[in-house]
Amino acid sequence: MCDKHAPQAADTSQGGSRRRRVWELSQASHCPLVGVALPLPALRKLVERVTGGRLLHDDYDIHVGAVSECALRNPLSEALQKELERRYAADVARFRSARTTEEVGALWVQAVDVGKVPGAFWAALSHARCTPALEQQMCRDIHMVQHQAGACARADIDKVKALSTEHARLVRELARTQGRCQALLQEKSAQAERYEQQLMAGRAALIAKDTDIHQLRSELARLQAEVPELETRQRLANRVAQMEEREAALRAQVATLKAARNVPPDAPAPAGDAPADMPAVPTEVPVRLVNRSVLCVGGRSGSVPVYRNVIERVGAQFAHHDGGLEDSAGQLDASLAAADLVICQTGCISHHAYWRVKDHCKRTGKRCIFVDNPSVSSLVRGLKEAAL
C-alpha cells in the first residue's frame, strides 16, 4: 500500500480543530462504529459499489471485512468516511459547538439518554477534542446500549409472536363472524323480498277495492239520477204505509163499535152518538177534501183525537205533527210532502216549525191555512175555507 494511505496521527491538542478520519480512530472503535452507524443493507450496497460486483457473502463476513479495511486509508475506508459524513451531517454540526473534551462527553451523554446514538457516536469519535479515554468510554456505552437493544429486540420478538398468535385468532374469529353476517344478510334479504311481495299484493288489493268503490259510487249516482227524490219518496212511502195501517185499525174499530150496537156497518152514525166533547160537524161533505190527506201542524195534544174525528168525518185522511214540541223536527218534512192540505195552528207551534211549514208550502205551491186559535171551531172554519 502506498504511503499516502498510511495512518496519520490526529491533531488532538487544545489548539487543533481538524476532525479525525475513520482510519485515524483506534481499531477498538471500528467494530461498534460500523455496526451501529451503518445499517447492514447500506453497508452491503456501499461495499458492492466500491468493489464493483455483487457480493455473495453473508452480513457477518461483510461487517468483518469492512471493519478490517477501516484500519487503513483505502477506497473502502474513504467511501465509509464520505457516507458517515453525509448521513450524520446534522449531528456533526451540533457537536462542532463543543470546545472541550468535557463538552463533547456531555453531548454524548445527552444523545445516549434520548436514544439518538449512531449519529452522536460518529460525531463524538471524529471530534478533535475526543481523547482516548472518552473514546473508550463511548465504546463501553455502545456495548451496553447494544445489550439493551438486544434485550429489547428479544422482548419485541416475544411481543410479535404473541401478537401474531392473537392476530391469527382474531382472523379466525373474523372469518366466523363474517360467515354469520353473510348468512344473516341473506336471510334478511329474503325476508325483505317477501315483505316487498306482500306489500305489492296489498297495494294491488287496495287498488282493486278503490276501483270497486268508485264503480259502486258511479252506479249509485246513476241510479239516483234515474230516480230523482228517491229518499223523499221512500220517506213518503213509509208515511203512507203507516197511514194505511192507521186507517185499517180505525176502520176495524168502527166496525167493532157498530157491531156492538147492532147497527148495520153501512148505516150512518146518528149525530147524537158523537161524544160530548166532539162538536157537531155539518152534514155537507166538502167534495175537495174526500180521500185527501190533511196535515194539522200544532194544536193542543188533548184535542188531537177531536181533530182526527172532525177531519175523518169529512172523508179526509188525518195526519198530525205537534210543530217540534215533542215530535222530531226531521219528520215534519216527510209529513209536509205527504199532505195535500196543511192547517197550521200558529198559536201552538215553534217558530222553527212555522217557518219550515211556510217555506215548504211556498216552494211547492201547496195550500196552507193558518189558524190563530187552536180550537175545534177554528179547525172547522179552516176546513170550510179549504173546501171553497
Side-chain angles (χ1 to χ4, degrees):
M1 181 177 298
C2 61
D3 295 339
K4 69 177 181 178
H5 293 120
Q8 299 178 2
D11 184 8
T12 59
S13 64
Q14 294 295 327
S17 61
R18 188 180 70 83
R19 298 175 57 250
R20 299 190 299 174
R21 307 295 188 268
V22 173
W23 52 87
E24 296 174 352
L25 303 177
S26 64
Q27 294 183 359
S29 62
H30 289 157
C31 179
L33 177 64
V34 175
V36 173
L38 290 176
L40 287 175
L43 179 61
R44 176 181 287 273
K45 184 177 180 181
L46 187 146
V47 173
E48 289 180 348
R49 184 175 70 249
V50 172
T51 57
R54 181 176 179 82
L55 298 178
L56 300 179
H57 301 81
D58 57 14
D59 294 337
Y60 177 79
D61 293 335
I62 295 176
H63 171 78
V64 172
V67 169
S68 63
E69 291 295 323
C70 289
L72 299 174
R73 184 175 183 177
N74 52 62
L76 181 57
S77 61
E78 291 180 351
L80 289 173
Q81 174 71 27
K82 293 180 181 179
E83 177 64 20
L84 291 172
E85 289 292 306
R86 182 193 66 80
R87 184 180 292 268
Y88 302 111
D91 297 281
V92 171
R94 183 164 57 87
F95 273 77
R96 189 176 290 118
S97 62
R99 300 302 181 185
T100 64
T101 303
E102 289 75 10
E103 293 179 355
V104 175
L107 291 177
W108 165 249
V109 172
Q110 294 177 3
V112 172
D113 292 338
V114 299
K116 296 182 178 180
V117 175
F121 189 55
W122 165 246
L125 284 176
S126 61
H127 198 279
R129 299 294 180 266
C130 181
T131 63
L134 178 59
E135 182 178 351
Q136 182 180 6
Q137 181 61 40
M138 288 191 297
C139 290
R140 294 173 64 182
D141 293 340
I142 284 293
H143 182 78
M144 297 307 298
V145 168
Q146 288 177 334
H147 278 298
Q148 294 175 359
C152 294
R154 287 192 296 273
D156 292 340
I157 291 173
D158 294 337
K159 291 181 180 179
V160 169
K161 291 181 178 179
L163 291 175
S164 299
T165 303
E166 181 67 14
H167 178 265
R169 186 186 65 80
L170 292 176
V171 168
R172 292 192 298 270
E173 183 65 23
L174 177 61
R176 290 193 296 268
T177 303
Q178 288 178 342
R180 290 195 299 268
C181 291
Q182 186 67 23
L184 184 60
L185 179 61
Q186 293 178 356
E187 180 182 355
K188 294 300 181 181
S189 299
Q191 186 178 7
E193 186 176 356
R194 291 195 301 270
Y195 287 160
E196 184 68 21
Q197 293 176 357
Q198 294 176 1
L199 179 60
M200 294 179 62
R203 288 177 177 174
L206 180 60
I207 293 174
K209 289 182 179 179
D210 291 341
T211 303
D212 294 340
I213 291 174
H214 178 72
Q215 292 177 353
L216 291 174
R217 287 179 177 175
S218 301
E219 183 67 16
L220 178 60
R222 184 184 64 80
L223 293 176
Q224 290 177 346
E226 292 179 356
V227 185
E229 300 182 358
L230 178 60
E231 295 182 359
T232 303
R233 292 188 179 185
Q234 290 177 350
R235 289 196 300 268
L236 293 178
N238 295 334
R239 184 66 175 174
V240 169
Q242 294 176 0
M243 297 299 294
E244 289 179 351
E245 292 178 359
R246 175 65 177 171
E247 181 182 3
L250 291 175
R251 291 184 184 277
Q253 185 178 2
V254 170
T256 303
L257 292 175
K258 288 182 178 181
R261 295 179 181 181
N262 295 323
V263 179
D266 296 333
D273 295 338
D277 58 344
M278 292 185 182
V281 182
T283 56
E284 298 84 1
V285 177
V287 179
R288 296 182 181 179
L289 299 181
V290 176
N291 294 328
R292 306 295 295 276
S293 177
V294 179
L295 173 63
C296 182
V297 182
R300 299 186 180 93
S301 59
S303 301
V304 173
V306 180
Y307 301 158
R308 182 185 301 277
N309 181 268
V310 171
I311 292 176
E312 290 181 350
R313 290 287 295 273
V314 298
Q317 297 178 356
F318 174 76
H320 179 262
H321 193 281
D322 65 359
L325 298 178
E326 294 182 1
D327 295 341
S328 174
Q331 298 178 356
L332 182 59
D333 292 335
S335 301
L336 290 170
D340 298 312
L341 173 65
V342 180
I343 297 177
C344 181
Q345 300 190 23
T346 59
C348 301
I349 188 175
S350 66
H351 293 286
H352 179 68
Y354 172 80
W355 289 111
R356 292 184 69 173
V357 170
K358 188 173 182 179
D359 180 69
H360 178 83
C361 295
K362 184 178 180 181
R363 287 188 292 101
T364 60
K366 189 170 295 185
R367 183 76 178 274
C368 180
I369 298 175
F370 294 93
V371 179
D372 295 333
N373 187 6
S375 62
V376 177
S377 59
S378 298
L379 178 62
V380 173
R381 286 194 300 270
L383 292 176
K384 289 182 179 180
E385 182 182 349
L388 296 178

